[in-house]
Amino acid sequence: MSRRSLRTAAVAAALSAGVFSAQPAQGASTALADPPDDRIVIDVATVNGSGCREGTAKVAVAEDNTAFTVTYSDYLAEVGPDSKPTDRRKNCQLNLIVHVPQGFTYAIVSADYRGYAYLQPGATGLQKASYYFQGSPDTAATSHPFTGPQDANWQATDSTDWGQVVWKPCGEQRNFNINTEVRVDVGSSDPTTTSFMTMDSTDGDINTTYHFAWKQCPSS
């Protein structure tokens, strides 16, 4: 079975859920703020993993500063007679520098994932993610299982209660780390057949979107 092109993914999420353990922003207001007018810039400090080899993962910020997207072009896990043992699991580790306008802090309140799954009867797939700020002991981890038979686009959203959001401490530069994984297992399926799961698109249509929330820090 050849790889499938993925359809363009339209992304929308209400800011009513979060992906981190509860931690207030040090010194920040308790009230949510509108996104800052200044343009947000995100630099990729490091990118490593079998699912995002050099040049295959790109980051872009939404014009309204409400979200950023990560676009993958070579993120596919596969099992079958023509695949190698290492093909069954692919991962990506992103270390991002988020340049926040002065006087603001942010949290990531939800994360949307989309991809394509072709799973034979008895085969299984898994999408996992974890998130943390550099230097923080709090790490949030989520997983989304899939079972065959399946031959369709898939979608998963990481979210918890709004009160569980973790904010970047005011006045500190803390890189934001995202670790993702896609895994496929033969399970009880016919081992002579192929199953795969992807979080990529050969034409660059698929995005993973992370949604911001903003608060104002006190004036120094």
Side-chain angles (χ1 to χ4, degrees), residues 57-79:
K58 297 181 180 180
V59 179
V61 181
E63 292 185 2
D64 59 2
N65 291 336
T66 60
F68 68 93
T69 62
V70 182
T71 302
Y72 303 100
S73 60
D74 188 21
Y75 202 152
L76 179 144
E78 184 178 44
V79 293

Side-chain angles (χ1 to χ4, degrees), residues 160-173:
T160 58
D161 292 338
W162 171 254
Q164 301 298 306
V165 173
V166 167
W167 299 85
K168 185 187 76 67
C170 286
E172 298 183 21
Q173 179 59 55

Side-chain angles (χ1 to χ4, degrees), residues 64 79 84 125-126 128 139 162 186 201 216:
D64 59 2
V79 293
K84 295 180 265 188
L126 185 70
K128 296 176 63 177
T139 300
W162 171 254
V186 173
S201 174
Q216 289 188 325

Side-chain angles (χ1 to χ4, degrees), residues 85-107:
T86 54
D87 291 339
R88 65 184 290 270
R89 176 186 178 273
K90 294 297 176 69
N91 75 300
C92 183
Q93 302 178 9
L94 290 172
N95 183 283
L96 305 177
I97 304 171
V98 181
H99 299 278
V100 179
Q102 186 174 3
F104 284 88
T105 186
Y106 74 94

Side-chain angles (χ1 to χ4, degrees), residues 42-59 68 70 72 91-99 132 134 173-180:
I42 298 179
D43 293 327
V44 179
T46 58
V47 53
N48 295 290
S50 55
C52 56
R53 294 183 178 87
E54 184 177 0
T56 65
K58 297 181 180 180
V59 179
F68 68 93
V70 182
Y72 303 100
N91 75 300
C92 183
Q93 302 178 9
L94 290 172
N95 183 283
L96 305 177
I97 304 171
V98 181
H99 299 278
Y132 64 94
Q134 183 179 18
Q173 179 59 55
R174 297 279 189 94
N175 290 8
F176 182 58
N177 293 271
I178 305 168
N179 299 329
T180 59

